[in-house]
Amino acid sequence: MIYFDEQKQVFHLQGNRFSYQMKIVDGVLMHMYWGSRLPSCDGDCLFTLAGEAASFDLPFNRRPREVPTQEKGYFGRRALDIVNSQGDDVLSLRYESHIIFSGKKALAGLPSSYTETEEEAQTLEITLADTFLNIQVVLSYTVFRDLDVLARSMRVINNGPDAVTLKDLQTAVCLPYDQYEAIHLKGGWAKERQAMRTPLPMGHFTIQSRRGASGHENNPFLALVKPETTEFSGEVYAMTHVYSGSFSASADVGMDLAPTMMMGFCPDVFSWQLNPGETFQGPEALLMYTKDGLNGLSALSHPFIRRHICRGYWRDRPRPVLINNWEATYFDFNAEKLYNIAKKGAEIGCELFVIDDGWFGKRNTDNCSLGDWVVNENKVEGGLKKLAERIESLGMMCGLWFEPEMVSPDSDLYRAHPDWCLHVPGRERTQARQQLILDLSRKEVQDYIIESVSAVLRSAPISYVKWDMNRNMTEGFSCVLPPRQKMETQHRYMLGLYRVLGEITARFPRVLFESCSGGGGRFDCGILCFMPQTWTSDDTDAAERVKIQYGTSLLYPCSSMGAHVSAVPNHQTGRSTPFLTRCHVAMGGNFGFELDLNKLSDEDLQCAKEAVAMVKELRGTMQQGTYARLSNPMTNGGSAAWQFTDQERIIVCIYHHQAAANQPPQSIRLTGLEEDAVYHDEAHNLTCSGAALMGMGLPLPYMRGDFKTLLYCFRKIS
Ligand code: DGJ
């Protein structure tokens, strides 16, 4: 998988269908190639270095270095920006050594992709050094045997006598000169990850978060595609970050019109003092290349995230059908009310009841008690243990909501430790949702969270945790850091959060953790390393969810997306959609309910029961199968179609946004079937070949009324 051609001085990282090559030229590590698989390093003879011909510009400004730094007239964005004790930022990195080994190492303090056995991957570590400063940079590249994803990271070692300041750290890769379009996931609260596609401008294109979380507004995902790339074909170069904090994803089109793509810290809110003898580990970036369009990208990223990012007991297990009380009751509940919702859930086959916000302290609205993780026995009469046991006696698991990273000013915790929140002494502490953020860079704060959450989880049979985080950083600074290191707070917070999550998930390995951040405000591969699913959005309107889940699915697998059926009129949009439509759309993720089933009509309750039975029958395919988008709601008037495929069946869901009179006949073409195989859908009594389903497509019946769905389930019969 990884080769070094001594004579040509070329590194060849060879996947099943991609190659990535670098070449040492005069001690400088050059990027040579990333694209479809090459048989060997013979492309070396085609590699030319710009700037060899006479030019006004300096050669380093035009040469594709693997780690572009400020050196010899380089004017593009740097992958590594270090200010040394002399106050300058020149950094001359030259090849020193390399090693190739089986498997993959974990990154110190940070989540990263992993393998279960050494045979699954090979890793190359290249050490570069600036001998003037005595700084080493170790670049790590892992090639996985089963899936064409390249994991990269960088660590910086200060062997010099003086402290230096890291100002920026990016994983950079040069793409071939060509025309590109950028695809990214734009959004906001309740409208997360709307897939956007825009021609790549001839300059800098950046999406970023400096919120202290990956955020609702942008997601750490960037794809550069050719203008002709579709869901089904065409080249895609994509990157994502195994990190949950602020980030920057960019494409810098240089003077030779070849973009350098980068993923890393957001330099506005990052700085790190690296003392003599210390090592700084940068976050991992995942690089994916395919010629098979956007569905080809998802066919790489989905199984990779399921197998090499998500981990633990729940990784491959069918995810339980849940019912959550949030939109059913908000804060207005007591133990009996919760039990009655759970009971109805059990009657229709739900497997998990989740007690959402409001069970602790004196919390009856969102203005108090975060930090006081002690059950409120006035609401949960008899305590948590009793309620959880009653729920278990219904044959269900019991789950619980926490927001451990936060503190309410009106809380015993805040009264005891007013300096435990992020703040700037002397300035107003900006409240959002009437809460402040705990300073997770501090060990005593981390320990408090670990112990207080653990105590609750030990006190009652809790099998699931919804880990929420409902605001972003404003005066996001630790009061215990010296002035010169204040800008380290955000990254130190993330390291603290990862320690807390690592400790708690290790203590409770059988608990299913679902992350949440005001919906999907922290949906990234970093958090998925600890919690295999994320609440996708607070917007539970089926019509809106189609777009949110469409965008999310570009990178993230359906088994990582929480998707619930809620009441109508919908609480976020006021729209009413048919019950069956809400069920079908929620089947595009980890299915659940977020309403009071006791308030449903008999007809809707029956529909809910049938949907649960269907999810249980089909979830193997929906959670582990290959997912393909057949039609894009962003360009198709809100209508969409998607397909799940595994050895056993093909499930197709068609969502029709708005009815119109006198429509021409339409059809949806399936993908990835065997041309000569014959497929049968019992419910619609359809039997035809894979070739016909892919060539002619499923004819769409005329649909009266808005927001209608159709679900097909084909089995291969010969
Ligand atoms: C935001 C989450 O996204 C909701 O699902 C709910 O848990 C609330 N927080 C509770 O405060």
Side-chain angles (χ1 to χ4, degrees):
M1 291 191 280
I2 299 181
Y3 310 93
F4 180 59
D5 186 320
E6 189 85 45
Q7 200 199 344
K8 296 187 165 107
Q9 296 280 289
V10 169
F11 294 101
H12 186 180
L13 284 56
Q14 191 184 46
N16 298 310
R17 298 180 69 192
F18 85 96
S19 283
Y20 188 103
Q21 295 190 344
M22 295 165 278
K23 181 178 171 71
I24 305 165
V25 181
D26 300 332
V28 180
L29 188 64
M30 296 290 173
H31 180 78
M32 198 166 119
Y33 176 79
W34 181 30
S36 59
R37 189 178 195 269
L38 305 180
S40 67
C41 302
D42 65 354
D44 176 53
C45 64
L46 306 176
F47 181 58
T48 43
L49 282 172
E52 276 169 349
S55 154
F56 174 82
D57 222 18
L58 290 152
F60 265 48
N61 198 30
R62 304 184 62 185
R63 291 186 174 174
R65 278 181 298 155
E66 189 66 9
V67 188
T69 56
Q70 157 64 3
E71 181 191 7
K72 294 182 186 285
Y74 172 68
F75 304 111
R77 183 168 182 189
R78 289 163 281 188
L80 191 55
D81 183 4
I82 297 180
V83 175
N84 59 44
S85 62
Q86 297 180 168
D88 69 78
D89 61 357
V90 177
L91 187 64
S92 292
L93 296 173
R94 298 293 177 267
Y95 170 84
E96 206 175 67
S97 63
H98 75 269
I99 50 167
I100 297 171
F101 56 88
S102 298
K104 182 175 191 295
K105 293 181 196 160
L107 306 191
L110 286 170
S112 57
S113 57
Y114 70 102
T115 60
E116 288 172 303
T117 61
E118 287 204 340
E119 290 66 48
E120 287 173 48
Q122 229 179 12
T123 299
L124 162 70
E125 283 191 353
I126 305 174
T127 302
L128 309 176
D130 181 315
T131 48
F132 184 75
L133 293 177
N134 249 324
I135 283 182
Q136 282 178 317
V137 172
V138 182
L139 306 174
S140 170
Y141 301 81
T142 299
V143 179
F144 294 81
R145 200 171 288 282
D146 59 342
L147 288 158
D148 281 341
V149 174
L150 176 64
R152 286 185 52 185
S153 65
M154 184 198 294
R155 56 181 195 271
V156 183
I157 306 161
N158 183 2
N159 297 314
D162 301 309
V164 297
T165 306
L166 267 60
K167 308 261 294 179
D168 197 5
L169 193 145
Q170 303 286 321
T171 297
V173 60
C174 306
L175 266 54
Y177 160 80
D178 211 333
Q179 297 287 319
Y180 292 93
E181 293 179 350
I183 296 180
H184 61 109
L185 302 173
K186 190 76 197 162
W189 173 78
K191 53 174 183 178
E192 296 89 336
R193 291 174 297 285
Q194 311 279 312
M196 300 288 160
R197 184 166 177 163
T198 174
L200 190 64
M202 293 292 119
H204 303 279
F205 176 83
T206 306
I207 53 165
Q208 67 170 41
S209 162
R210 51 189 182 88
R211 296 165 174 269
S214 45
H216 294 94
E217 194 179 342
N218 288 304
N219 191 267
F221 165 76
L222 179 63
L224 296 190
V225 304
K226 300 288 174 63
E228 65 274 14
T229 296
T230 66
E231 290 283 7
F232 305 99
S233 66
E235 285 190 289
V236 182
Y237 297 87
M239 277 176 107
T240 188
H241 214 195
V242 189
Y243 190 64
S244 316
S246 300
F247 73 93
S248 158
S250 62
D252 186 7
V253 179
M255 61 180 296
D256 289 326
L257 305 185
T260 301
M261 208 175 166
M262 294 194 185
M263 179 70 74
F265 288 120
C266 175
D268 295 358
V269 285
F270 171 76
S271 171
W272 196 270
Q273 179 178 307
L274 193 62
N275 295 315
E278 287 180 351
T279 297
F280 181 85
Q281 175 65 62
E284 182 169 280
L286 303 176
L287 282 68
M288 288 156 275
Y289 168 81
T290 177
K291 286 196 282 196
D292 299 331
L294 296 168
N295 281 323
L297 169 68
S298 306
L300 292 178
S301 67
H302 289 194
F304 186 85
I305 290 173
R306 288 198 303 254
R307 292 206 285 269
H308 296 293
I309 291 288
C310 297
R311 60 201 75 197
Y313 181 78
W314 284 100
R315 187 185 83 164
D316 304 325
R317 285 191 158 70
R319 301 295 165 74
V321 174
L322 68 79
I323 173 153
N324 174 305
N325 75 298
W326 179 242
E327 285 198 20
T329 66
Y330 295 104
F331 293 104
D332 179 20
F333 61 79
N334 59 18
E336 217 40 44
K337 200 168 181 179
L338 295 180
Y339 179 74
N340 285 333
I341 298 173
K343 189 159 171 278
K344 205 68 178 173
E347 280 169 27
I348 65 158
C350 294
E351 298 159 309
L352 164 66
F353 178 72
V354 181
I355 307 169
D356 211 280
D357 193 355
W359 57 268
F360 54 92
K362 55 174 179 121
R363 190 158 164 101
N364 285 313
T365 175
D366 59 14
N367 67 359
C368 68
S369 300
L370 294 173
D372 299 343
W373 301 109
V374 177
V375 66
N376 178 354
E377 296 215 12
N378 292 325
K379 285 176 92 169
V380 186
E381 304 95 339
L384 203 53
K385 183 164 186 284
K386 185 171 167 207
L387 177 60
E389 283 174 353
R390 283 182 83 200
I391 288 164
E392 283 206 327
S393 72
L394 294 169
M396 297 171 99
M397 299 185 288
C398 182
L400 201 59
W401 179 97
F402 287 90
E403 196 178 358
E405 297 160 64
M406 300 289 152
V407 63
S408 306
D410 181 6
S411 66
D412 293 340
L413 180 67
Y414 190 75
R415 282 182 281 276
H417 299 285
D419 68 323
W420 272 17
C421 65
L422 297 175
H423 69 282
V424 174
R427 284 193 189 272
E428 185 189 340
R429 301 173 182 198
T430 304
Q431 293 183 30
R433 212 190 186 211
Q434 308 183 72
Q435 62 199 51
L436 299 164
I437 306 180
L438 287 171
D439 180 357
L440 268 78
S441 72
R442 292 170 68 169
K443 178 143 188 317
E444 61 274 35
V445 176
Q446 298 163 18
D447 290 342
Y448 172 80
I449 296 174
I450 293 168
E451 294 313 326
S452 56
V453 172
S454 297
V456 178
L457 297 185
R458 280 196 200 103
S459 73
I462 302 299
S463 309
Y464 162 105
V465 166
K466 179 175 175 185
W467 185 291
D468 207 347
M469 192 282 280
N470 281 306
R471 63 158 291 181
N472 292 143
M473 294 179 188
T474 47
E475 300 78 27
F477 300 96
S478 174
C479 67
V480 294
L481 284 174
R484 281 190 48 209
Q485 288 181 272
K486 287 276 187 212
M487 294 301 287
E488 297 178 11
T489 309
Q490 283 208 3
H491 184 56
R492 286 183 183 273
Y493 180 99
M494 295 317 303
L495 295 174
L497 173 65
Y498 291 141
R499 176 183 166 241
V500 167
L501 291 175
E503 184 67 38
I504 293 179
T505 53
R507 283 186 186 182
F508 301 96
R510 293 285 180 104
V511 170
L512 172 60
F513 285 81
E514 175 156 350
S515 76
C516 176
S517 174
R522 201 164 58 184
F523 204 137
D524 54 67
C525 286
I527 217 79
L528 288 170
C529 287
F530 300 94
M531 314 197 225
Q533 53 191 65
T534 298
W535 177 227
T536 311
S537 175
D538 274 348
D539 190 343
T540 57
D541 175 305
E544 295 291 292
R545 268 305 182 109
V546 166
K547 289 185 271 175
I548 294 168
Q549 292 174 195
Y550 169 86
T552 307
S553 78
L554 282 176
L555 180 68
Y556 302 101
C558 300
S559 60
S560 68
M561 291 186 225
H564 300 171
V565 176
S566 62
V568 291
N570 178 266
H571 293 193
Q572 294 78 41
T573 61
R575 183 185 281 126
S576 290
T577 51
F579 197 85
L580 184 63
T581 295
R582 283 175 268 154
C583 292
H584 284 164
V585 172
M587 285 178 199
N590 289 323
F591 185 89
F593 295 98
E594 191 155 329
L595 43 69
D596 188 346
L597 292 168
N598 295 295
K599 295 183 178 160
L600 289 186
S601 66
D602 291 348
E603 193 190 338
D604 284 353
L605 193 65
Q606 182 58 26
C607 183
K609 191 172 176 180
E610 286 167 16
V612 172
M614 187 182 275
V615 168
K616 287 181 179 171
E617 192 196 332
L618 303 182
R619 66 183 155 190
T621 310
M622 297 190 298
Q623 291 171 8
Q624 302 290 335
T626 302
Y627 178 85
R629 293 163 300 274
L630 304 177
S631 149
N632 178 352
M634 309 302 285
T635 54
N636 200 17
S639 293
W642 55 94
Q643 175 186 331
F644 295 98
T645 309
D646 68 4
Q647 296 296 343
E648 233 185 303
R649 56 175 85 84
I650 294 111
I651 304 165
V652 179
C653 186
I654 298 169
Y655 167 78
H656 193 64
H657 191 60
Q658 272 184 329
N662 195 15
Q663 287 297 290
Q666 288 176 30
S667 56
I668 292 285
R669 288 152 70 139
L670 309 196
T671 185
L673 309 186
E674 289 171 44
E675 293 204 337
D676 296 331
V678 178
Y679 297 87
H680 177 67
D681 170 290
E682 207 177 308
H684 299 87
N685 196 21
L686 265 176
T687 305
C688 59
S689 67
L693 286 167
M694 293 192 292
M696 296 173 68
L698 277 173
L700 293 187
Y702 176 66
M703 293 202 228
R704 289 181 70 81
D706 296 338
F707 322 124
K708 293 289 171 62
T709 46
L710 288 168
L711 195 87
Y712 293 84
C713 183
F714 290 95
R715 281 173 195 280
K716 191 164 83 174
I717 52 171
S718 70

